[in-house]
Amino acid sequence: MPNRKKNITEAKGTILLVTATRAEAIYFSQMRKDCRYMNLTVMYSGGVKNLKELVDKAAQRRLNGRYQKVWALFGFDEVNTSVDEVLEMQNDYALRKKVHLCYFNPCFELWFALHVNANMSYESDPERIREMVRKAISGFEMSEEYLLTKGLNLHLMLFPRHAFADLAARKMNESEKFRLGADVTTMPQFDDDLTEICGKADMSHNQKVFK
C-alpha cells in the first residue's frame, strides 16, 4: 500500500521574528510549536522604547545568525509610532537594515480581533479593540502570565480561524489604505513569507485537540 504524503510545502530557508514585547514572543512561539515551523526563530527584542530601537535589535540579531528573512513585529502603541514614521522606516532605514516590518495599527490585539470578528471595521482606539477580544475570549489579556497559564493554548484555539483573520486583514488593508496612507497591518505579508519559507502549517499532531 503506497505511503500517503502530507500536504506540506518543503521549507526553503530560515526566518527570524523579533517582537516588541515578551508576550508577543510567547504567542508566536506557540504558533511555531503548533504549526511545526522548525525553521522559524522567535526572539523577544529585550524591550524597546521606539521603532528605531526595534529595527536596530532585529538587524543585530540578523547579523548574529543566518536568516533568509527577518521581521520586526509590533503594535503602533507599543513603540509610540505613526503611519508616517512606519512608512519612512519601511522605505528607508529598515530597508537598508534588511528588516521587514510586521505591524498592527493601532495595536497588536487587532490580530486577535480579526479572528473573533472577521467582519469588523477599522478601529483606531486600542482599548475598544482589546475589549472586543476580552468579550470573545474569556479571561484574555495580552500578558506573559496569561499566555503561560490560561492562554497556554491560545494559538491552537484560534488557529481554525486563521485563514478568516488573514482574509479579513487583507480586505481591511484594501478598504483603509487610501484613507490611512498605509496598510492597517502587514501580517498577511508575514503569513506569505511563512508559507514560502517555512512551508504549510502541519497541525496533524494536534488533531485530538479539535475533536
Side-chain angles (χ1 to χ4, degrees), residues 93-151:
Y93 190 74
L95 184 65
R96 287 188 279 114
K97 293 285 187 176
K98 298 182 180 179
V99 174
H100 301 268
L101 305 183
C102 183
Y103 63 77
F104 304 83
N105 180 7
C107 61
F108 173 71
E109 288 89 341
L110 171 65
W111 182 232
F112 298 140
L114 289 168
H115 281 76
V116 301
N117 183 2
N119 296 316
M120 69 176 287
S121 300
Y122 174 71
E123 173 57 64
S124 61
D125 185 347
E127 285 309 313
R128 288 185 180 179
I129 292 175
R130 292 181 183 116
E131 182 60 25
M132 185 187 305
V133 179
R134 284 193 290 264
K135 286 181 178 179
I137 304 174
S138 178
F140 172 83
E141 59 176 293
M142 193 59 189
S143 69
E144 300 169 45
E145 182 180 359
Y146 170 75
L147 290 168
L148 291 173
T149 54
K150 294 180 181 179

Side-chain angles (χ1 to χ4, degrees), residues 32-193:
R32 179 185 183 276
K33 174 180 66 70
D34 294 341
C35 299
R36 289 187 175 178
Y37 290 146
M38 293 300 102
N39 54 333
L40 167 66
T41 299
V42 180
M43 291 185 182
Y44 167 46
S45 64
V48 294
K49 297 179 180 178
N50 54 57
L51 182 53
K52 183 178 180 298
E53 282 188 18
L54 178 60
V55 171
D56 284 342
K57 289 192 175 185
Q60 183 59 49
R61 284 159 175 73
R62 180 184 67 82
L63 293 174
N64 292 338
R66 295 181 179 181
Y67 302 101
Q68 184 176 345
K69 287 282 184 71
V70 177
W71 286 83
L73 182 141
F74 60 94
F76 272 35
D77 58 338
E78 294 163 350
V79 293
N80 193 30
T81 193
S82 65
V83 168
D84 288 342
E85 183 185 31
V86 166
L87 288 176
E88 182 178 358
M89 189 69 64
Q90 197 172 43
N91 296 322
D92 184 18
Y93 190 74
L95 184 65
R96 287 188 279 114
K97 293 285 187 176
K98 298 182 180 179
V99 174
H100 301 268
L101 305 183
C102 183
Y103 63 77
F104 304 83
N105 180 7
C107 61
F108 173 71
E109 288 89 341
L110 171 65
W111 182 232
F112 298 140
L114 289 168
H115 281 76
V116 301
N117 183 2
N119 296 316
M120 69 176 287
S121 300
Y122 174 71
E123 173 57 64
S124 61
D125 185 347
E127 285 309 313
R128 288 185 180 179
I129 292 175
R130 292 181 183 116
E131 182 60 25
M132 185 187 305
V133 179
R134 284 193 290 264
K135 286 181 178 179
I137 304 174
S138 178
F140 172 83
E141 59 176 293
M142 193 59 189
S143 69
E144 300 169 45
E145 182 180 359
Y146 170 75
L147 290 168
L148 291 173
T149 54
K150 294 180 181 179
L152 191 62
N153 293 314
L154 180 62
H155 175 267
L156 197 58
M157 181 184 74
L158 293 176
F159 182 81
R161 295 196 59 80
H162 182 100
F164 294 101
D166 181 85
L167 180 59
R170 294 173 194 268
K171 288 182 176 179
M172 187 176 285
N173 284 340
E174 289 178 5
S175 64
E176 299 294 335
K177 187 170 185 176
F178 179 77
R179 184 174 69 86
L180 297 176
D183 286 334
V184 178
T185 174
T186 50
M187 185 66 191
Q189 291 93 313
F190 177 67
D191 267 344
D192 289 342
D193 263 4

